[in-house]
Amino acid sequence: MGLFENLVGAFLKLTDPTPDYTGPRCLLERNSVGGCDKCQQACPHQAIRLENFTVEIDEVRCTSCGLCTSACPGLALEFPLGSIQEKLHRGKGQLRCSRAPGAGDEVHCLGQLTPGLLAEAGARFGPLTLAHGDCAGCKIGGPSVPERVQQIAEEGRRYFPGLEVRLQQEPLAGAEVGRREFFGALFGGAKRSAAELMPNLPLLPEEPYEDKRAERPAELRLRRVAAIQAQSVRWPRIAVGEGCTLCPVCSNVCPTKAVERERSPSGEEYILKLDVSACTGCGACVESCPPQVITLTEADRVEVLGGPIELYRGVPPWYDL
């Protein structure tokens, strides 16, 4: 592919309104018991189809509202969060949607916000102010956006309990921005745009399908940053009770590789471990566990910021097979 084709492809990528889809983190593709249709239910424009155990997004119907991304339990649907985080920082915790009047930075729709974005900004700036337009008549996100943002904020309080979010329809005054901050933001935006437009050189083979689960989503990184600043957290985690057969189902269905199964050095036991900071609380392992011995609970700050914890160990009943 030549330079021109790469530039055209990069431009289309920048203007493509659909969220990025990472199939290995989708509960449908992971064959979780009960499946999942939360993204389809959240979409106000019927732009999402669930076919052949995968998610297909209609680029014509999609308005880039982002409501599907915050509804996805496995974080398989994402918008790039760096630019939104930068806008929250530049506005010192103030942000408005593209249909809201007033000054300050804007995002296409407040539905693109995530618990991690709000928690990290709240930990840094204190109370956040989010302005929205007439959602009832908006063709981007629709009337459900304010309620959904409140739900996102409530989820964000799991990672930073002090999070305060004010939703308003009044014009946003906007935070004052100095010359240095303005030119710094302008230069930073230019660098990012140039990086996006540079052609990708095919020097390395494409990453294996399963390895993509090991990539820590930006949302999880933001949640962890917020947890570092918090006094306490209510991070979701799982617990494994007696009766576990140490089969690989929980590790297979986990969308973020939070659960891993490994063999002990002696070779006689198997060990289930959990990276708490990678757990989304999706419940896929709970629903899929054959003996139904996995439950959802909450982790404290020490467990989130520490290394993997041991969930269960033992000699599986099928060891001699």
Side-chain angles (χ1 to χ4, degrees):
M1 183 178 290
L3 176 61
F4 177 75
E5 289 82 1
N6 274 295
L7 291 174
V8 170
F11 175 76
L12 291 175
K13 180 176 180 293
L14 288 172
T15 57
D16 185 359
T18 62
D20 295 328
Y21 174 63
T22 304
R25 293 205 296 264
C26 176
L27 299 193
L28 279 181
E29 293 201 22
R30 297 246 59 84
N31 293 311
S32 171
V33 171
C36 181
D37 64 351
K38 291 184 179 179
C39 59
Q40 187 181 58
Q41 295 299 321
C43 179
H45 305 293
Q46 294 77 52
I48 295 180
R49 298 188 303 273
L50 307 179
E51 298 179 357
N52 301 318
F53 299 99
T54 190
V55 173
E56 296 181 1
I57 303 176
D58 189 323
E59 296 184 4
V60 176
R61 290 178 176 269
C62 180
T63 63
S64 193
C65 67
L67 292 173
C68 62
T69 62
S70 60
C72 179
L75 305 179
L77 291 169
E78 303 172 286
F79 278 108
L81 301 184
S83 61
I84 304 177
Q85 181 191 26
E86 182 183 28
K87 291 173 182 179
L88 277 166
H89 286 193
R90 196 159 55 225
K92 296 180 172 60
Q94 297 188 52
L95 192 66
R96 63 188 177 94
C97 78
S98 59
R99 297 296 186 267
D105 279 291
E106 66 177 52
V107 66
H108 187 57
C109 177
L110 294 184
Q112 291 187 351
L113 296 172
T114 67
L117 280 168
L118 296 183
E120 190 275 337
R124 183 182 295 263
F125 300 108
L128 308 180
T129 302
L130 308 175
H132 63 88
D134 178 18
C135 294
C138 180
K139 294 183 179 180
I140 299 176
S144 66
V145 170
E147 180 182 2
R148 183 56 190 152
V149 171
Q150 294 286 13
Q151 294 171 354
I152 293 170
E154 184 60 34
E155 174 70 13
R157 292 186 187 99
R158 297 179 67 98
Y159 317 109
F160 186 74
L163 174 63
E164 296 180 29
V165 176
R166 180 193 175 194
L167 270 175
Q168 65 179 48
Q169 210 169 344
E170 297 81 18
L172 192 66
E176 295 184 5
V177 180
R179 288 173 54 121
R180 178 174 297 180
E181 291 172 302
F182 173 78
F183 284 109
L186 187 65
F187 181 65
K191 286 198 299 183
R192 281 189 300 276
S193 297
E196 287 282 356
L197 291 172
M198 286 295 292
N200 293 321
L201 300 178
L203 298 178
L204 298 174
E206 185 178 353
E207 187 177 22
Y209 180 87
E210 285 296 324
D211 287 354
K212 293 181 180 179
R213 277 199 302 160
E215 293 180 359
R216 187 64 56 92
E219 169 65 11
L220 287 179
R221 296 198 299 269
L222 286 168
R223 293 179 187 182
R224 191 177 189 279
V225 169
I228 292 173
Q229 304 299 322
Q231 296 295 320
S232 62
V233 299
R234 296 181 296 111
W235 196 292
R237 58 155 289 186
I238 60 170
V240 178
E242 291 296 327
C244 172
T245 62
L246 291 160
C247 73
V249 170
C250 55
S251 59
N252 287 343
V253 300
C254 181
T256 56
K257 291 184 76 69
V259 183
E260 294 277 25
R261 187 186 70 134
E262 62 184 44
R263 204 162 188 169
S264 67
S266 67
E268 296 182 356
E269 292 184 314
Y270 277 85
I271 306 169
L272 285 181
K273 291 185 176 181
L274 174 69
D275 182 348
V276 177
S277 64
C279 182
T280 67
C282 69
C285 58
V286 177
E287 297 296 327
S288 303
C289 176
Q292 292 290 283
V293 295
I294 301 179
T295 55
L296 272 175
T297 181
E298 294 179 348
D300 58 30
R301 184 172 176 273
V302 174
E303 290 178 320
V304 173
L305 302 182
I309 61 176
E310 186 174 300
L311 292 172
Y312 195 85
R313 73 160 59 209
V315 179
W318 40 266
Y319 176 76
D320 57 346
L321 297 181

